[in-house]
Amino acid sequence: MSKEPATPIYLPLEGVESEHCALIVDRGLQQVSAVTSHKVELNNQRAIITPARQEALADAVKAIRDLGYGVTTIKKTIPVLQMSCAACAVSVESILQAQPGVVTAHVNFAASTVAVEYLPNQLKVEDLKKAVQSIGYDLFIDATSPQDSTLEELQQQKFQSLKRKTILAIALSIPVVLIGMFFMDLPYANEIMWVLSTPVVLWLGRDFFLNAWKQARHRSANMDTLVALSTSVAYGFSVFNTLFPEYWHERGLHGHVYFEAASVVIAFILLGKYLEEKAKGNTSSAIKKLIGLQPRVVTMVQTDGSTQTIGVEQVQKGQTLLAKPGEKIAVDGMVTSGESYVDESMLSGEPVPVLKTENQEVFAGSINQKGSFMYRAEKVGSETLLAQIIRMVQEAQGSKAPVQKLVDKIAAIFVPVVILTSLLTFGAWYWLGGEHGFTQGLMAMVTVLVIACPCALGLATPTAIMVGVGKGAEQGILIKDAESLEVARHLTTVVLDKTGTITEGKPAVTDSFWLEESALLKDVLYNLELHSEHPLADAVVHFLDRSKSIPVTNFDSITGMGAKGVLLGTTYFIGNEQLLQKHGISTTQALKDKSKAWSQEAKTVVWFANSVEALAVLAIADQIKPGSREAIRQLQQQGIRVYMLTGDQEVTARAVAEAAGITQFKAGVLPEQKAAFIQQLQQDGQKVAMVGDGINDSTALAKADVSIAMGKGSDIAMDVAKITIISSDLTKIPHAIRLSKQTVAAIRQNLFWAFIYNIIGIPIAAGILYPVNGFLLDPMLAGAAMALSSVSVVSNSLRIKWMK
């Protein structure tokens, strides 16, 4: 019988605008081994591929994007319902990845979400929902965003239901344990325990049985399967012994009951789930804080000056909004009138409020202080900086660290292996355990099923990633994915761009020297520079910041030298020394000495003069950011080599490097040379981070092991970078590296304890110590240990929050 041919997949292309582009894409697809055939259609702006394996689509999309072209896809983070363990997460992920048109699917068990990227021309989100429902789970696709109250209510109802079930199960289990351990001779003891344990097992624990049945129908197994098997065996065996005690008496044995084991196991597992859910809620506190920053309503100013309160989702670009004292800014915008200090700490991590005046940007989620101002809406909805931050944090928290792939493989086979182990345990006891071999084997089997828990394995990595990424976001460090968080701890070299990264990225007056300083002369210089279009003129205007207006006549811009103009009947000049020499203007030695000293520091010197003599000199430079030197010192203390790359001339580069404390730098470097330099460092065995802010840094950022963009730089740099520093403060980089080390350490600790717990716990549960010292683990203790394992892993991840 011939094999059915694979279904072709159509990839909508972006940016393929010529035959040459189509040829490049075609050659790129030739390199993808998982694609058996392909065709690029320029007219239809699409590529048609025939996949040989499941990962073919993801490989093809990556190949096209690596070439600099795009593929139209939709990325969504969707809540997943009814997952109970890591095996569930693996099942959901596998079924989604098997759907034609799904590029990637990553399930985050800790957050109960799936981050899925798919082709909109191949399938809809409803198709994903049906696929997940087919294996007993569900997707909450009615929520358009995590702010949706219906989802929050659903999660809160689930949590409260779990809390009630836990309290009831414990309340009913306590008397069962007391009777089972201390009052077995009580009249009708077995019947009383049966009555008390039945609601615990069959009512409060019914979800375990329902979920296990769903899994069995789809030939799968998860933690619910283990719980349902163990408790049903203990409960069923106890019911049989209560109803038919003579069966064992006729064989010279006593039929023990294990109602307390069945009910306590359910109670402990419910308690563990409750504590786990509570702790998992804390791991996502950062995203909840970010979501809570956006107000639900905003005051809109109408054209007639009247105000109206509207929902934030109704705001449109260009509308004028009013920020009252103490209110949160609703959308990204530009101040049109008024001024106030605004607290941007939750976005940038900077604690000091920033003064916002006319024509300055404000961002959604920042908090207005005591003043009030009006601002024009520039970016609304999903376009705001806050929305982008929330989306990046969600995607990062849902991404997988490389180590998680190994854990997923183990989780996929964990439950079947445990069930097989429990059956082998029962068989060994039955054949080798003597007269009590059956009952002891039954209890050992139950104990193995109870103690084995894939939850701790499933929670080990994602909880640490969620807390680490969330903590970074709170400090103004946006981490795009888990892999960069894991790789950052291995960094040996950090390469820094100069302009906008180490320095402010704009010229500013650093020094001034006047022969005779006067308010009138400063007013003259200020008004003269106001008329100039030279980039350095803005620096002088900002530095002087005068308010008096003086008319300027006969203004003339002199190319390559400066400018001149007539103010108050006198001609004044502003520019370089050549301008003064050309017009025969005298200069004093004091001014010359200052000019020479500043020039040696790689500063640009500007002369101010009247038609007779020079009056003042000003030094202009791109100043080093306040935290740059300290950040570089911290990196060097961590044993990391720091390089500076710049397109500037040698003298300027040397001056900045010396001021910043950098010993290794390269000047006159072109964008492609930056990438080549990083590649050379990597070939020498270095793990390299590139830090930049401009379009010219994007190639080097893409080449680096870890790419870091400064938040006030270009959008392209931030798109390419895996980590973004919102405040552009370099001291955040050593913080990010320390956070990476703390997070990876927590992941390793979690995985160690999760593996050790199962490696030690399962053999003890099976009775390996019985021949040595007669010890048999009670199923009740196994249930408590199982619950504790998950809670301890989540609690260990939460420690990252409190680390410095």
Side-chain angles (χ1 to χ4, degrees):
M1 190 174 176
S2 62
K3 188 179 178 182
E4 188 179 332
T7 306
I9 297 175
Y10 297 85
L11 305 181
L13 299 176
E14 297 171 1
V16 181
E17 296 169 353
S18 65
E19 289 287 352
H20 177 68
C21 298
L23 183 62
I24 292 172
V25 171
D26 185 78
R27 287 174 179 169
L29 289 172
Q30 284 177 11
Q31 306 303 313
V32 181
S33 59
V35 173
T36 54
S37 65
H38 68 276
K39 181 182 178 183
V40 179
E41 296 182 347
L42 179 61
N43 292 339
N44 296 321
Q45 280 287 290
R46 70 182 185 183
I48 307 171
I49 66 166
T50 305
R53 297 193 300 274
Q54 185 174 300
E55 64 271 18
L57 178 56
D59 291 348
V61 170
K62 184 178 185 301
I64 292 169
R65 286 173 176 168
D66 286 347
L67 292 168
Y69 301 102
V71 178
T72 304
T73 61
I74 291 176
K75 287 183 180 179
K76 279 184 179 288
T77 299
I78 310 170
V80 185
L81 307 177
Q82 297 160 22
M83 287 196 302
S84 59
C85 69
C88 304
V90 172
S91 298
V92 173
E93 191 168 294
S94 299
I95 194 71
L96 286 174
Q97 286 179 336
Q99 302 307 302
V102 171
V103 181
T104 57
H106 298 303
V107 175
N108 185 335
F109 172 53
S112 296
T113 59
V114 58
V116 62
E117 181 180 9
Y118 62 94
L119 300 172
N121 64 320
Q122 293 283 126
L123 78 169
K124 298 176 181 176
V125 72
E126 288 78 11
D127 299 322
L128 303 178
K129 182 181 176 77
K130 287 176 185 174
V132 172
Q133 285 175 332
S134 72
I135 57 167
Y137 306 99
D138 203 357
L139 297 181
F140 191 85
I141 61 170
D142 297 328
T144 54
S145 76
Q147 299 171 62
D148 195 293
S149 58
T150 310
L151 177 59
E152 286 183 5
E153 287 167 11
L154 194 68
Q155 291 173 331
Q156 192 60 31
Q157 286 169 10
K158 178 187 172 185
F159 182 73
Q160 291 302 325
S161 172
L162 186 57
K163 185 178 180 179
R164 285 192 299 272
K165 285 181 181 179
T166 303
I167 293 169
L168 271 171
I170 292 171
L172 290 169
S173 297
I174 289 172
V176 178
V177 172
L178 292 174
I179 294 169
M181 299 188 75
F182 304 110
F183 303 103
M184 278 302 295
D185 296 329
L186 192 75
Y188 303 106
N190 288 0
E191 286 77 4
I192 294 169
M193 286 191 291
W194 183 11
V195 169
L196 291 171
S197 62
T198 297
V200 176
V201 176
L202 301 182
W203 175 43
L204 300 173
R206 69 184 182 280
D207 285 344
F208 296 119
F209 294 94
L210 291 172
N211 292 335
W213 171 244
K214 285 179 184 176
Q215 293 299 310
R217 281 174 55 207
H218 297 98
R219 297 181 182 179
S220 185
N222 63 3
M223 189 203 79
D224 295 320
T225 309
L226 300 181
V227 176
L229 280 174
S230 60
T231 53
S232 60
V233 167
Y235 179 80
F237 184 62
S238 302
V239 170
F240 178 85
N241 290 351
T242 301
L243 293 174
F244 308 106
E246 66 278 0
Y247 177 84
W248 298 105
H249 294 157
E250 289 170 1
R251 289 162 177 75
L253 298 170
H254 179 68
H256 293 282
V257 295
Y258 298 96
F259 288 118
E260 78 280 6
S263 61
V264 169
V265 164
I266 294 285
F268 269 134
I269 292 171
L270 286 172
L271 177 63
K273 281 281 171 195
Y274 169 72
L275 294 173
E276 182 186 307
E277 288 295 323
K278 195 171 182 179
K280 276 160 65 177
N282 288 332
T283 64
S284 59
S285 62
I287 204 81
K288 288 174 183 172
K289 283 181 186 175
L290 287 170
I291 291 168
L293 285 177
Q294 189 164 36
R296 296 193 179 276
V297 294
V298 63
T299 304
M300 182 184 74
V301 181
Q302 296 177 325
T303 51
D304 61 358
S306 62
T307 59
Q308 179 187 354
T309 301
I310 60 172
V312 72
E313 69 281 353
Q314 296 175 273
V315 177
Q316 296 180 353
K317 290 181 185 178
Q319 288 182 331
T320 300
L321 308 173
L322 176 64
K324 297 175 183 177
E327 281 189 345
K328 292 172 183 172
I329 307 300
V331 297
D332 292 0
M334 188 77 70
V335 177
T336 55
S337 66
E339 63 177 50
S340 178
Y341 281 92
V342 174
D343 180 1
E344 297 180 343
S345 59
M346 270 303 291
L347 298 176
S348 67
E350 297 299 314
V352 181
V354 181
L355 178 62
K356 298 292 182 179
T357 57
E358 195 172 333
N359 294 326
Q360 287 194 312
E361 285 183 307
V362 289
F363 301 101
S366 53
I367 303 169
N368 184 25
Q369 300 293 287
K370 295 179 181 179
S372 64
F373 57 86
M374 288 192 286
Y375 61 105
R376 182 177 61 254
E378 301 279 348
K379 292 180 180 178
V380 300
S382 61
E383 296 178 352
T384 66
L385 176 63
L386 176 62
Q388 290 172 26
I389 290 171
I390 290 170
R391 188 163 58 249
M392 281 181 69
V393 172
Q394 282 178 326
E395 288 175 1
Q397 288 185 335
S399 64
K400 287 195 176 180
V403 70
Q404 182 66 19
K405 293 170 186 173
L406 172 64
V407 176
D408 286 347
K409 288 178 182 176
I410 294 168
I413 61 167
F414 185 86
V415 175
V417 167
V418 168
I419 292 172
L420 181 62
T421 304
S422 71
L423 292 172
L424 291 173
T425 299
F426 174 74
W429 274 101
Y430 182 76
W431 293 109
L432 305 173
E435 62 174 336
H436 297 294
F438 181 84
T439 54
Q440 287 179 328
L442 204 64
M443 282 302 97
M445 181 177 80
V446 168
T447 308
V448 168
L449 290 170
V450 169
I451 201 166
C453 178
C455 289
L457 279 176
L459 292 166
T461 304
T463 51
I465 292 294
M466 285 178 73
V467 177
V469 169
K471 183 178 178 181
E474 288 177 359
Q475 295 182 349
I477 304 165
L478 283 187
I479 299 158
K480 194 173 279 187
D481 58 35
E483 186 174 357
S484 55
L485 189 63
E486 190 172 328
V487 172
R489 73 190 184 94
H490 294 299
L491 289 175
T492 58
T493 304
V494 172
V495 178
L496 301 170
D497 173 52
K498 178 185 78 70
T499 307
T501 301
I502 297 173
T503 65
E504 295 285 1
K506 57 183 179 181
V509 175
T510 59
D511 308 274
S512 65
F513 180 74
W514 296 76
L515 283 182
E516 291 184 17
E517 193 168 348
S518 74
L520 177 62
L521 288 176
K522 286 183 178 180
D523 287 337
V524 167
L525 176 55
Y526 175 80
N527 282 276
L528 182 62
E529 286 287 51
L530 270 180
H531 282 70
S532 175
E533 295 179 358
H534 195 281
L536 298 183
D538 285 338
V540 177
V541 168
H542 184 75
F543 173 71
L544 293 172
D545 194 21
R546 311 296 286 181
S547 57
K548 187 177 179 181
S549 177
I550 300 175
V552 180
T553 57
N554 298 329
F555 181 85
D556 184 23
S557 180
I558 305 164
T559 304
M561 293 187 185
K564 67 175 182 175
V566 177
L567 296 90
L568 304 175
T570 304
T571 302
Y572 289 94
F573 296 83
I574 179 75
N576 56 27
E577 197 170 1
Q578 289 174 284
L579 178 66
L580 274 63
Q581 290 170 353
K582 181 181 176 181
H583 290 84
I585 298 168
S586 64
T587 55
T588 64
Q589 192 59 44
L591 291 173
K592 286 181 180 178
D593 290 344
K594 285 290 182 185
S595 173
K596 185 178 180 182
W598 291 338
S599 296
Q600 288 173 348
E601 294 173 15
K603 294 178 180 178
T604 301
V605 178
V606 176
W607 292 76
F608 175 53
N610 57 27
S611 55
V612 178
E613 62 177 347
L615 303 170
V617 282
L618 296 90
I620 298 176
D622 184 5
Q623 287 183 293
I624 291 175
K625 292 177 184 175
S628 292
R629 188 175 180 87
E630 174 60 21
I632 290 159
R633 186 189 66 79
Q634 287 183 26
L635 288 169
Q636 291 167 341
Q637 277 187 337
Q638 292 181 28
I640 294 171
R641 287 195 288 180
V642 181
Y643 289 86
M644 184 187 79
L645 301 183
T646 179
D648 266 354
Q649 56 189 358
E650 178 84 15
V651 63
T652 305
R654 184 177 300 280
V656 172
E658 287 176 359
I662 297 172
T663 54
Q664 296 165 301
F665 68 91
K666 287 177 77 73
V669 182
L670 298 172
E672 59 270 21
Q673 292 173 322
K674 290 181 182 180
F677 180 74
I678 285 170
Q679 193 168 6
Q680 183 59 54
L681 289 172
Q682 289 169 329
Q683 288 171 356
D684 294 341
Q686 302 294 315
K687 283 285 182 184
V688 185
M690 172 68 197
V691 187
D693 75 322
I695 294 171
N696 63 332
D697 300 319
S698 56
T699 310
L701 287 167
K703 183 68 70 178
D705 297 295
V706 176
S707 46
I708 304 172
M710 308 312 283
K712 292 178 181 174
S714 75
D715 289 341
I716 292 176
M718 285 184 276
D719 284 345
V720 172
K722 293 298 179 74
I723 297 175
T724 299
I725 309 298
I726 299 174
S727 66
S728 293
D729 179 4
L730 273 185
T731 56
K732 301 291 185 184
I733 294 171
H735 292 176
I737 295 170
R738 279 195 292 272
L739 181 61
S740 165
K741 291 177 179 177
Q742 290 166 357
T743 305
V744 173
I747 290 172
R748 290 189 165 193
Q749 291 158 7
N750 289 348
L751 289 174
F752 173 79
W753 289 113
F755 278 114
I756 286 294
Y757 164 80
N758 283 293
I759 289 167
I760 295 174
I762 291 174
I764 290 175
I768 199 170
L769 296 177
Y770 187 77
V772 179
N773 56 16
F775 177 77
L776 272 177
L777 185 65
D778 191 288
M780 292 188 292
L781 292 176
M786 190 263 235
L788 185 64
S789 68
S790 296
V791 175
S792 61
V793 161
V794 179
S795 301
N796 187 54
S797 295
L798 287 170
R799 286 192 315 115
I800 300 170
K801 274 188 171 186
W802 320 120
M803 293 179 182
K804 290 186 178 179

